[in-house]
Amino acid sequence: MIQKYDIIIIGAGSGGLNVASFMGRLGMRVLIIDKTDNKIGGDCLNTGCVPSKALIHIANQVYSGRQSERFMYSQQIDTNTSNLSINSKVDMKKVKEYIRSKQDDIRKRENSVYLKARGIDFIAGEARFTNNDTVSVKESNGNTSLYTAKNIILATGSRARKLSVSDDESVPLYNNENIFEINTIPDSFVFIGGGPINCELGQAFSRLGSKVTILNSAPRLLEKETENASMILEAQFISEGINVINDVVIISIKGGCVYYKIKSSTNNKECELKCDGVFVGIGRELNLENLDLEKGGVKVTEKLTSLIIDKYLRTTNKRVYVVGDVAGNYQFTHAAEMHAKVVIKNMFSPFKSSFDDTYIAWTTYTSPEISTFGLSEKRSKEMSLEVIEKSFEHDDRAIVDECQNGLIRLYIDRKARIHGGTVIGSNAGAISSELVLAMTSKIGLDQMFKKVTPYPSVTRIIKSIIDTYTSRKLTLANSRALRLLYKIL
């Protein structure tokens, strides 16, 4: 017997849950399928954003505590009292307990019971297409059932790409899927890859007590960011004792060591780096296996690594949409939310909307944070946009917070409207939110100049760059005219 639904969603991550929530509120019959109940919430809740940011929060507290030692009296802290020494080692068991407690708090709103209470059915099992509008699900109890719907949403997410070098298993290998189960903090920790995950977690483990080395295959960290951003972050890492080695090729992992070569080296020397743990963050692979996509009329690319989709987020089977990582563009939770909005609109309107990534934004939660939004630096040059910059060096809030190594960079048109940019610094994500609002609302710098910003909030840096931009209007001729006007009046 085939059970009928209005919509079936394969994958219970952010994108799938957003679509399900809206359709459920309309009173439609909604079915979500994922392998287990604890997969609800997707990577973000279980192995990504939530646990990583919880870990970063703890690491930053530990780092701040150690930094505050310079303000303490020189006497030793009495270990017989309840006061803990600033130099105490981090207890990874307590760190894991904290991370899980925050996940459990969020999981109260992301579980099968919660979904059921909102009229959304959940089936734990492995889904496969049987035809264009039907899937079979093999459940954990061994039973197989058939489900059909007018539309099916693929939201199966992605997984960490594995390192394809010889490995004798002499060193534990970690990725985002198992790092939060680690029991001890490695004394010497190697991070292979120079992307956002490695930069965030590498700095976090360094602050928790590891001697961290980042082996990066690219010429610089965060290659998708501006060169300024990479340089500022790398300088901060070096100041914290993190060793960054760029432009490398990993050869093998054996005998408790990582072996690598420098691409630009002329002597072809093989370098050796002893370590107690290796974190691999070299990209993601889409979860497309075992879906029997061909039976559902869903085609993949020649390399079998991604789906063929149109600008409306439809697959080659127009009844099957995609959201989240499998859409193949931006692998962010908020991008999945954007996908969900597009898909929902397209299922209800004959006038289809395309996915527009013009105003996409993202933040790397290192210290300093790096937040990028809108058009890229390359695209801004092609459009002959003006580049304006302002350092945090003389920003009063940055001075008292000891975070003057920041920079704000904007790409603006002749009407002083923002089309993109990057903020590097403490609270960059929060600062850029105001700029993203101005960009999406087409509010120019002249209009933003009228805004009164409380002193000394972190967003005063925006006022500072606008002040610098508008002050250019005060030309020599304008100054003379104003002096004359002053005398007359």
Side-chain angles (χ1 to χ4, degrees):
M1 179 180 175
I2 300 177
Q3 299 185 52
K4 294 183 178 181
Y5 283 86
D6 292 307
I7 187 166
I8 294 172
I9 301 162
I10 304 175
S14 177
L17 290 176
N18 269 266
V19 176
S21 177
F22 180 83
M23 301 296 275
R25 287 200 300 270
L26 294 181
M28 292 191 171
R29 290 203 70 201
V30 181
L31 173 64
I32 298 180
I33 305 166
D34 212 324
K35 291 181 179 178
T36 61
D37 192 304
N38 59 20
K39 289 284 187 181
I40 296 175
D43 278 349
C44 187
L45 173 59
N46 297 296
T47 60
C49 313
V50 172
S52 67
K53 301 313 169 280
L55 180 72
I56 290 168
H57 171 69
I58 297 167
N60 290 345
Q61 285 195 324
V62 171
Y63 181 74
S64 296
R66 288 174 177 149
Q67 291 294 99
S68 69
E69 190 173 17
R70 59 197 164 124
F71 301 113
M72 304 298 179
Y73 287 111
S74 58
Q75 295 100 309
Q76 293 291 321
I77 296 175
D78 187 358
T79 55
N80 295 320
T81 69
S82 60
N83 294 324
L84 293 176
S85 167
I86 290 173
N87 293 315
S88 297
K89 286 189 174 182
V90 174
D91 184 342
M92 197 61 201
K93 180 182 178 181
K94 293 179 180 178
V95 172
K96 288 167 65 176
E97 288 172 354
Y98 175 85
I99 292 172
R100 285 172 184 156
S101 72
K102 300 310 172 187
Q103 288 175 302
D104 290 342
D105 195 13
I106 296 171
R107 211 183 300 278
K108 292 174 185 176
R109 303 177 301 282
E110 296 184 3
N111 62 75
S112 59
V113 175
Y114 182 88
L115 293 174
K116 187 69 176 177
R118 280 147 186 80
I120 300 168
D121 289 344
F122 175 82
I123 298 292
E126 190 170 283
R128 295 173 181 268
F129 281 93
T130 59
N131 58 46
N132 282 15
D133 60 4
T134 306
V135 296
S136 67
V137 180
K138 185 176 182 181
E139 301 175 39
S140 54
N141 58 13
N143 295 333
T144 298
S145 303
L146 294 174
Y147 303 92
T148 186
K150 179 181 178 180
N151 288 116
I152 297 174
I153 309 294
L154 282 177
T156 51
S158 65
R159 63 185 181 274
R161 182 177 287 122
K162 293 182 179 180
L163 196 64
S164 57
V165 299
S166 60
D167 170 25
D168 66 358
E169 300 183 355
S170 58
V171 179
L173 290 186
Y174 301 98
N175 56 34
N176 74 293
E177 293 162 15
N178 64 359
I179 187 64
F180 304 109
E181 299 302 320
I182 193 170
N183 292 316
T184 58
I185 297 171
D187 291 331
S188 179
F189 209 169
V190 171
F191 283 73
I192 297 176
I197 294 174
N198 283 34
C199 287
E200 288 181 354
L201 295 185
Q203 186 179 43
F205 272 95
S206 173
R207 291 182 167 191
L208 290 172
S210 291
K211 174 61 181 174
V212 169
T213 299
I214 296 177
L215 297 178
N216 179 26
S217 63
R220 56 184 176 87
L221 297 175
L222 300 177
E223 197 175 25
K224 292 183 180 180
E225 303 292 349
T226 64
E227 191 170 349
N228 275 345
S230 298
M231 291 173 62
I232 289 171
L233 185 62
E234 187 165 331
Q236 178 65 32
F237 280 5
I238 292 170
S239 74
E240 293 185 23
I242 298 172
N243 187 24
V244 179
I245 306 175
N246 294 313
D247 206 32
V248 306
V249 176
I250 305 300
I251 305 301
S252 62
I253 302 173
K254 59 185 180 182
C257 297
V258 176
Y259 291 86
Y260 65 94
K261 292 181 180 179
I262 306 294
K263 294 178 186 177
S264 57
S265 176
T266 56
N267 59 17
N268 205 32
K269 180 184 176 182
E270 192 170 291
C271 305
E272 173 187 324
L273 186 59
K274 189 170 180 58
C275 59
D276 304 300
V278 174
F279 183 93
V280 180
I282 55 173
R284 310 283 295 173
E285 294 177 338
L286 304 185
N287 295 326
L288 300 175
E289 301 83 7
N290 305 319
L291 288 166
D292 286 344
L293 294 171
E294 65 283 356
K295 291 182 181 179
V298 178
K299 295 182 179 179
V300 296
T301 57
E302 288 184 9
K303 293 183 179 180
L304 308 179
T305 56
S306 61
L307 298 170
I308 297 174
I309 63 172
D310 63 19
K311 61 183 179 180
Y312 308 122
L313 300 182
R314 299 179 303 186
T315 67
T316 47
N317 175 357
K318 303 308 179 187
R319 300 174 69 164
V320 178
Y321 289 84
V322 294
V323 296
D325 288 3
V326 289
N329 36 51
Y330 298 96
Q331 295 177 339
F332 307 122
T333 296
H334 53 281
E337 293 168 351
M338 291 173 66
H339 296 151
K341 290 179 182 178
V342 171
V343 167
I344 289 169
K345 185 174 181 180
N346 287 341
M347 287 191 295
F348 285 93
S349 173
F351 307 104
K352 303 303 181 187
S353 296
S354 60
F355 174 68
D356 183 5
D357 63 356
T358 304
Y359 299 126
I360 193 76
W362 63 85
T363 300
T364 301
Y365 294 95
T366 47
S367 293
E369 291 181 357
I370 299 173
S371 189
T372 299
F373 50 93
L375 298 182
S376 66
E377 184 176 34
K378 179 182 178 182
R379 182 73 181 122
S380 69
K381 288 179 180 178
E382 292 171 352
M383 293 178 62
S384 300
L385 296 177
E386 182 181 356
V387 180
I388 58 174
E389 284 187 352
K390 187 73 177 183
S391 168
F392 281 46
E393 183 181 3
H394 301 298
D395 179 75
D396 292 359
R397 181 58 182 268
I399 290 171
V400 298
D401 287 348
E402 297 184 296
C403 52
Q404 294 165 263
N405 61 339
L407 178 75
I408 181 170
R409 179 185 179 93
L410 301 177
Y411 311 128
I412 59 172
D413 61 23
R414 293 179 180 178
K415 294 183 180 179
R417 292 178 303 198
I418 302 169
H419 288 265
T422 298
V423 181
I424 310 139
S426 179
N427 299 296
I431 293 169
S432 67
S433 294
E434 188 171 315
L435 296 167
V436 170
L437 177 61
M439 177 178 65
T440 54
S441 303
K442 300 188 183 332
I443 298 172
L445 298 187
D446 293 336
Q447 293 167 284
M448 295 179 71
F449 181 72
K450 301 173 186 176
K451 178 179 177 287
V452 178
T453 305
Y455 178 88
S457 65
V458 293
T459 55
R460 294 275 297 190
I461 190 65
I462 297 176
K463 178 184 181 300
S464 181
I465 195 170
I466 294 172
D467 287 349
T468 301
Y469 174 77
T470 54
S471 67
R472 298 186 309 185
K473 294 181 179 179
L474 197 62
T475 62
L476 184 60
N478 287 340
S479 298
R480 288 172 179 168
L482 287 173
R483 287 199 301 269
L484 179 60
L485 185 62
Y486 179 79
K487 291 178 181 178
I488 293 172
L489 297 179

